C-alpha cells in the first residue's frame, strides 16, 4: 500500500494559505487557519489537520462557513465575557476569544470566556497551549452543535458530538502538561483518516446502524451511518454530557437536540467555555517543584525501556519534534481530497501540481 506524500510544515503552511486566499480569505485569516491546521498535524493529530480542508470548502460552498468574519462581544462582565463567533472560521473566532481571555486573566487573575456560534474551532489543545505560553492554566469545555455522531451509554444511535475536554498546566522548564481529548472513544476525524487509509479502527470505538460493534470506519462516512461510542463507557458519557451543557448552554449557544440538528455534516459549529487561571495568584510557592517531583515519581515506575512512561502532552511534543525534522505524512487518498478542495477553491491546476512536487 502506498504511503502517500511527506511535506515540510512550511510547505503545507504556504499551501493552505494559498488555498484559502483563492477561496476568499484575507491574508491574516488564511495565516491563522493554516497555522492551526499544520500545528495539529505536527502534534500528531492528523484528524484535525489539513485533512479538514475539504470539509471547510464544502461548508463554505453550502453557505455555513463565513469568511473574514470575527467574534463579537455579547456581554462583558469584567472577568467573565461572552462572545458570538458569527459563523466565522473557528480558528479566527477562538483566537480572538482566547486572546481576550488571556488579557482578562492578566487583569483579574482569572477569567471565564464563553464562545458560541463559531465554525469548527479545531484542535482544542492548540488554544490551551496559547494559554500555557502566557503562563496560565486553562480548562476548556466544548460541544459540537447539532451534529450527532456519538451514542449515549446504552444507546444504539448517535445523539451528540465528540465534545472535547481540555486542561493545561504550564511548567517552568518543560512542555506544559496537556490533557486534550474527545469524550468519544476516538475522534471523528480519526475515522476519516482510517477510512482514507483503508485500515480498521480499534475494538470498542464504533457501532453500525444496527447498534452492533464494528471496526469499519466507513460506518461514519457511508450511509447508513453508525455511531461512535464514548470512552470508558458510562464515564465518558457523563463527561460528554457536562461538556455539552457547560460548552453549549452556558456559553449562550445551543445544545444538540431535534431543533438544532444541522442539515450538513460539513456545518461543524462549536461552542466553548474556557476558564483561565493565573497560577501565581495562588499561595503555592512550591508548585513547580511539587509538579516536577510528581512527574519524576511516575516516570520512575518499572516499565519496558522501549515504551517510556509519558506525561500528558509529551506525546504531542515528541511528535512535533519528529515531524518538524522528518516532515508531515499524508496518505494518497487524503492528499487527493485536499487537492480537489484546492481546485474547487479556485487554485489553478498548475499551482496545485507545483505544491505537490514539493513533497519530500
Amino acid at each position: 500500500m502506498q504511503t502517500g506524500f511527506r511535506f515540510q510544515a512550511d510547505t503545507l503552511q504556504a499551501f493552505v494559505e494559498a488555498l484559502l486566499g483563492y477561496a476568499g480569505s484575507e491574508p491574516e485569516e488564511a495565516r491563522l487557519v493554516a497555522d492551526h491546521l499544520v500545528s495539529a498535524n505536527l502534534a500528531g493529530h492528523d484528524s484535525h489537520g489539513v485533512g479538514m480542508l475539504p470539509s471547510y470548502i464544502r461548508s463554505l460552498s453550502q453557505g455555513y462557513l463565513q469568511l473574514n468574519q470575527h467574534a463579537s462581544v455579547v456581554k462583558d462582565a469584567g472577568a467573565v465575557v461572552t462572545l458570538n463567533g458569527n459563523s466565522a472560521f473557528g480558528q479566527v473566532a477562538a483566537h480572538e476569544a482566547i486572546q481576550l481571555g488571556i488579557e482578562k486573566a492578566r487583569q483579574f487573575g482569572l477569567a471565564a470566556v464563553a464562545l458560541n456560534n463559531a465554525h469548527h474551532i479545531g484542535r482544542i489543545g492548540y488554544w490551551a497551549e496559547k494559554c500555557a505560553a502566557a503562563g496560565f492554566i486553562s480548562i476548556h469545555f466544548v460541544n459540537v452543535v447539532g451534529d450527532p455522531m456519538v451514542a449515549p451509554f446504552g444507546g444504539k444511535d448517535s445523539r451528540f458530538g465528540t465534545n472535547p475536554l481540555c486542561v493545561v498546566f504550564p511548567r517552568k522548564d518543560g512542555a506544559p502538561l496537556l490533557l486534550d481529548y474527545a469524550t468519544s472513544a476516538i475522534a471523528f476525524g480519526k475515522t476519516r483518516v482510517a477510512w482514507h487509509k483503508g485500515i480498521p479502527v480499534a475494538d470498542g470505538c464504533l457501532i453500525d446502524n444496527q447498534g452492533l460493534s464494528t471496526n469499519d470506519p466507513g460506518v461514519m462516512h457511508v450511509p447508513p451511518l453508525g455511531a461512535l461510542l464514548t470512552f470508558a463507557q458510562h464515564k465518558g458519557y457523563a463527561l460528554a454530557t457536562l461538556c455539552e451543557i457547560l460548552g453549549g448552554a452556558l456559553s449562550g449557544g445551543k445544545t444538540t437536540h431535534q431543533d438544532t440538528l444541522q442539515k450538513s455534516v460539513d456545518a461543524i459549529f462549536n461552542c466553548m467555555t474556557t476558564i483561565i487561571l493565573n497560577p501565581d495568584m495562588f499561595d503555592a510557592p512550591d508548585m513547580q517543584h511539587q509538579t516536577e517531583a510528581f512527574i519524576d515519581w511516575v516516570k520512575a515506575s518499572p516499565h519496558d525501556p522501549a515504551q517510556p512512561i509519558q506525561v500528558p502532552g509529551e506525546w504531542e511534543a515528541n511528535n512535533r519534534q519528529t515531524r518538524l525534522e522528518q516532515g508531515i505524512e499524508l496518505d494518497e487518498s487524503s492528499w487527493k481530497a485536499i487537492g480537489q478542495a484546492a481546485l474547487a477553491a479556485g487554485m489553478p491546476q498548475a499551482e496545485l501540481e507545483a505544491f505537490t512536487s514539493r513533497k519530500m
Side-chain angles (χ1 to χ4, degrees), residues 322-346:
T322 298
R323 292 187 174 197
L324 280 171
E325 295 172 355
Q326 301 179 8
I328 295 168
E329 186 174 332
L330 298 171
D331 64 89
E332 188 172 3
S333 179
S334 292
W335 181 248
K336 181 179 179 180
I338 293 168
Q340 291 171 342
L343 296 175

Side-chain angles (χ1 to χ4, degrees), residues 119-138:
H119 200 268
H120 188 234
I121 61 177
R123 174 180 167 254
I124 311 306
Y126 180 93
W127 309 117
E129 287 164 352
K130 295 295 185 185
C131 296
F136 297 143
I137 296 165
S138 65

